[in-house]
Amino acid sequence: MADMTLAISEATFQKSFDTMIKNIRWEAQDSTDWGAFSAGYHVKGHLQGGSIDLRADNTLRVDEVDIRWDMLEFTLGLDIPKICVGGGCIDLPWPLPDLCLPEFCLFKADPDVSITVDLSPFVAQEVSFEGGIATRYYDASQPPPAGFDPCALLRDVLVNNSIIDPFPANNQWHVYIIPGTVDIDLFDFADIVGDLIENALTAAVTALIPGGWVRDLLLAIIGSVADLIRWVLDIPDEIDEWLSDLFNVSFGLLDLLVQVVLTFFGVCVPVYRIDDPFPVMDAKTTTALRLDQAPVTLVPVALPVRNLNVAITDLELVLQADIGA
Amino acid sequence: MPFTDHSDIYAAVHEKGINTVVRHLMRQRPSLFNYATPFFHQYPKLFCNPIEAAPTVLQAGNPLFTEVEPLPIYGAPIPIGVNFCLQLTDAEIDFHPGNIVRLPAELGKLASQHLAIRLKACVGLDCPPTEWIERMLPAIERLLVEQQKLAIGEVKEQTGSPRLSTGAVSDRGAAELAGPEARELFNSRSIVIRDDLGKLSVPARGIVVLPTRELTCFCLELFAVAHFEWGSVPGSTQPWLKTRLDGLEIVDLAPTPMENAIECYLSTVLRLGILPQVIVPMEKLIFDVTSVLEEQGLSVSQSITLQPAEVPADVPDNPAIEQDELRAFVRLKITGGS
């Protein structure tokens, strides 16, 4: 039996996942002006749906998380040089007053022409992926692998850009997330069509019937029909995901590319590090140990960590570790 | 059977792990477990049990023990003390079922949901040699006469010697009074003692430490049985987690009435003095995840908390002491929001 055990149930993962999905929202906007041309964007989105599943093969799967765009506006602007006609004054001799002509200008605004397109009703993504968790021991005394080490190269790049800390001089336990298959639908056709139909029908019914149980009933029916349409249209993607899961490989160029990149990162870059020995009491300076009140700096207390292991079953994630002698 | 069949989160620590942590603590912070007079810096071999320290402690030059004043000789006209040491040499915990700590018969078999603790402490006390006591005695008697602290009351004898008082001056005076042996004992600024162990000098802090050749050591083993329970505190509406002492036994202490008296005193100290201070209210066991997330910049509309699983609705005992482990069962509660 391990010295320490921590277990988290699948239901806890699901509850935490649902909460996270409900609360993750983002918004960004920016614009740039190149003189004659300008461009800008204003995007706002949130996550929706999805589920998380712990599986008996030591992996977990996040299934069909929808990326929804509340606003996906892109603006292009054109600033046409101002053209003015008229204007100017003619000096007439006294006692006649000066004669000033009115000026008419075109393209005074900046930009003069602006086109904004909101793509949010037509764009939706869906992401699914599965992966496992692995722990490895980093022995600082071991020399790096001979020859070309792609992992070291990747880590150096990340360290040089201050994205991760370098590997330390002391031993550590490293926790890695090893990605499996990835399925990214850049255009979630089923949801796009389903949303368009549902929105159109809902708007029509709401306009025709201002309120009451009949309207509610019709809206409920529309929702169910839209869900059915989404489900039917999503069948090809479900088959694609099922096959990916079965053969443990991502289909599609983008999915395969993302899987390769994530696997490279997953294998090379730990997501969590635990020092070995693990400090439990900090160094401390005290005057209480000597009768002459001379200050003494005590070394930190650290515990050796052994057999750190993370296991996933279909019911829970279990983290176990021993304290070394 | 899964760990989380009765809760959302399960955490357990095995008795083996706790005992290993205690051993590491003893080796890496020996000053928490060893107390002795400064004399032991020069003569660490005189400790009742050799102090095992981790190499990091020795390399850093950390003290192996906490310095304490010598044990005073009450009634002496000047502050005199003897060297001693107190060492906590063993500390073990044993969760039900008992298989590490062999409880004495007085405490019986370790009951379900209970834990046993074994502590072993050794005390080493200097017994000053008779020849040293006899050598010091004239100076002590002279000082008592000077200070008029005799049991018979005031004595009007005039010695003709300089008047003595306690402190550095009195030390010098006593040395003059008692001859060369005492001169070695009472030096004005520091106490220099020559004995079989050689010459040693202890900085004077207003106390004369008698020379030490060897310590008389004895060790005592203390066993205790305890358990956790939830209960109320008058005036509070929330439940409190309390540690309850069920029994305490000091082994091989005689005579029996003295053993009983000491055990009763220690039990009372624990029950009324120490354990009531470590009761924990439920609110301290509830971990507010929402505020932690907000500190990390993620605002959530729900209230997310981790709190102990309810007893007995969720689990029969929480924390539970079973199968050599201390186990905690936690519920994740998400409330509010849409």
Side-chain angles (χ1 to χ4, degrees):
Chain A
M1 200 174 281
D3 289 345
M4 291 185 297
T5 302
L6 177 71
I8 304 170
S9 71
E10 185 179 39
T12 306
F13 272 98
Q14 187 63 56
K15 278 194 271 186
S16 306
F17 180 82
D18 291 344
T19 306
M20 187 186 76
I21 291 288
K22 277 180 190 167
N23 286 283
I24 289 183
R25 294 177 181 278
W26 62 91
E27 182 173 8
Q29 57 180 321
D30 199 4
S31 62
T32 307
D33 195 334
W34 292 285
F37 298 97
S38 63
Y41 67 88
H42 186 184
V43 297
K44 195 158 69 170
H46 66 276
L47 297 179
Q48 190 175 302
S51 63
I52 189 166
D53 180 32
L54 304 188
R55 309 197 299 185
D57 61 353
N58 212 27
T59 63
L60 60 83
R61 179 171 179 80
V62 173
D63 212 22
E64 298 191 339
V65 177
D66 293 323
I67 300 172
R68 287 284 178 270
W69 298 96
D70 307 309
M71 185 182 286
L72 196 62
E73 283 186 356
F74 296 95
T75 302
L76 285 174
L78 181 62
D79 184 25
I80 302 170
K82 192 165 68 174
I83 300 172
C84 295
V85 294
C89 293
I90 302 169
D91 294 335
L92 296 177
W94 186 86
L96 296 174
D98 293 347
L99 180 62
C100 291
L101 299 174
E103 185 183 65
F104 298 97
C105 291
L106 295 173
F107 312 122
K108 286 191 289 188
D110 185 11
D112 299 292
V113 181
S114 178
I115 302 169
T116 298
V117 180
D118 186 359
L119 298 174
S120 59
F122 313 105
V123 176
Q125 287 84 39
E126 185 184 273
V127 177
S128 301
F129 61 90
E130 60 102 1
I133 298 175
T135 56
R136 289 187 214 129
Y137 193 69
Y138 168 68
D139 186 347
S141 65
Q142 292 292 314
F148 176 64
D149 180 7
C151 277
L153 183 68
L154 173 66
R155 283 196 298 267
D156 287 345
V157 170
L158 296 174
V159 168
N160 291 337
N161 288 284
S162 304
I163 296 170
I164 63 168
D165 293 327
F167 281 8
N170 59 286
N171 296 345
Q172 284 186 327
W173 281 96
H174 289 172
V175 180
Y176 294 85
I177 292 179
I178 309 297
T181 57
V182 179
D183 180 68
I184 302 173
D185 297 330
L186 280 181
F187 293 93
D188 185 4
F189 185 64
D191 277 339
I192 292 170
V193 173
D195 287 349
L196 285 173
I197 291 172
E198 186 172 10
N199 290 342
L201 291 177
T202 301
V205 169
T206 308
L208 287 172
I209 311 170
W213 65 270
V214 176
R215 190 190 71 163
D216 294 341
L217 178 65
L218 286 173
L219 290 179
I221 292 170
I222 289 168
S224 302
V225 170
D227 285 343
L228 179 66
I229 291 169
R230 287 189 189 99
W231 180 76
V232 170
L233 293 176
D234 201 37
I235 287 175
D237 188 52
E238 293 281 356
I239 294 171
D240 177 63
E241 287 170 15
W242 177 73
L243 286 171
S244 283
D245 198 25
L246 186 67
F247 295 109
N248 200 31
V249 64
S250 299
F251 294 122
L253 186 60
L254 176 69
D255 296 347
L256 192 62
L257 200 63
V258 170
Q259 184 183 350
V260 168
V261 171
L262 287 180
T263 303
F264 185 37
F265 271 79
V267 168
C268 297
V269 182
V271 292
Y272 195 70
R273 309 178 190 188
I274 298 168
D275 282 335
D276 179 40
F278 182 75
V280 290
M281 288 173 75
D282 293 333
K284 176 185 169 188
T285 301
T286 176
T287 58
L289 298 183
R290 296 178 64 101
L291 291 174
D292 58 6
Q293 305 288 304
V296 174
T297 301
L298 299 173
V299 295
V301 176
L303 303 175
V305 181
R306 298 286 175 267
N307 308 323
L308 181 72
N309 185 50
V310 181
I312 299 174
T313 71
D314 56 347
L315 296 173
E316 60 195 5
L317 180 146
V318 180
L319 186 150
Q320 292 184 306
D322 289 329
I323 309 293
Chain B
M1 182 182 288
F3 294 111
T4 52
D5 55 346
H6 290 111
S7 63
D8 293 323
I9 297 171
Y10 164 94
V13 57
H14 196 275
E15 62 194 13
K16 177 166 60 78
I18 294 181
N19 291 329
T20 307
V21 170
V22 171
R23 280 195 291 277
H24 278 291
L25 199 57
M26 283 180 156
R27 283 169 45 81
Q28 296 183 48
R29 283 281 165 90
S31 54
L32 286 174
F33 300 91
N34 297 280
Y35 299 82
T37 53
F39 164 82
F40 287 86
H41 286 301
Q42 279 90 11
Y43 298 96
K45 287 185 178 174
L46 290 182
F47 272 112
C48 299
N49 280 71
I51 299 174
E52 288 182 26
T56 50
V57 173
L58 299 174
Q59 285 161 12
N62 279 181
L64 299 183
F65 61 90
T66 300
E67 290 182 4
V68 290
E69 296 284 4
L71 197 64
I73 304 295
Y74 290 105
I78 56 170
I80 301 175
V82 292
N83 289 310
F84 80 101
C85 66
L86 169 65
Q87 297 180 273
L88 184 62
T89 57
D90 284 310
E92 284 181 323
I93 198 162
D94 188 0
F95 297 127
H96 182 268
N99 46 18
I100 291 180
V101 173
R102 182 179 290 180
L103 287 174
E106 291 87 341
L107 292 177
K109 193 180 174 199
L110 189 62
S112 171
Q113 296 297 328
H114 282 62
L115 62 94
I117 295 171
R118 182 181 77 89
L119 300 175
K120 184 180 178 187
C122 294
V123 176
L125 188 61
D126 176 32
C127 182
T130 306
E131 60 266 32
W132 273 105
I133 291 176
E134 288 176 351
R135 227 186 282 180
M136 287 187 66
L137 205 49
I140 297 293
E141 289 169 347
R142 183 62 231 161
L143 279 168
L144 286 170
V145 171
E146 288 289 341
Q147 293 171 1
Q148 296 291 337
K149 286 185 177 173
L150 299 173
I152 59 167
E154 194 174 340
V155 176
K156 303 221 182 274
E157 181 191 5
Q158 294 297 318
T159 61
S161 301
R163 183 166 179 80
L164 303 176
S165 61
T166 55
V169 176
S170 75
D171 298 346
R172 191 183 300 117
E176 288 169 2
L177 185 73
E181 294 87 355
R183 192 172 294 118
E184 278 188 297
L185 260 175
F186 304 106
N187 192 313
S188 62
R189 301 308 302 168
S190 66
I191 299 137
V192 180
I193 297 167
R194 190 185 298 281
D195 61 7
D196 294 346
L197 295 169
K199 185 177 178 182
L200 66 98
S201 177
V202 180
R205 284 183 305 277
I207 189 164
V208 176
V209 186
L210 296 180
T212 300
R213 288 196 179 95
E214 62 178 345
L215 297 175
T216 303
C217 283
F218 64 95
C219 297
L220 289 175
E221 276 189 306
L222 182 146
F223 294 85
V225 173
H227 71 278
F228 298 109
E229 68 179 30
W230 288 95
S232 61
V233 171
S236 171
T237 55
Q238 62 180 322
W240 292 69
L241 182 63
K242 304 173 180 182
T243 308
R244 293 296 194 220
L245 181 72
D246 298 291
L248 185 142
E249 179 68 23
I250 300 173
V251 179
D252 293 338
L253 197 62
T256 304
M258 183 183 77
E259 178 188 346
N260 293 342
I262 293 174
E263 288 170 358
C264 181
Y265 175 74
L266 287 177
S267 291
T268 309
V269 167
L270 283 169
R271 284 179 168 140
L272 295 181
I274 295 173
L275 294 181
Q277 293 184 35
V278 294
I279 61 175
V280 184
M282 171 65 92
E283 66 183 35
K284 290 287 182 190
L285 297 173
I286 296 175
F287 183 66
D288 186 356
V289 181
T290 310
S291 58
V292 173
L293 290 175
E294 282 173 358
E295 284 170 15
Q296 300 296 320
L298 180 62
S299 176
V300 292
S301 54
Q302 290 98 338
S303 168
I304 309 168
T305 55
L306 294 175
Q307 50 190 275
E310 290 178 20
V311 176
D314 296 326
V315 285
D317 299 285
N318 190 18
I321 300 172
E322 54 200 18
Q323 294 180 35
D324 300 323
E325 288 185 325
L326 176 64
R327 297 171 169 176
F329 303 90
V330 179
R331 282 275 181 220
L332 174 72
K333 295 220 169 172
I334 301 173
T335 53
S338 54

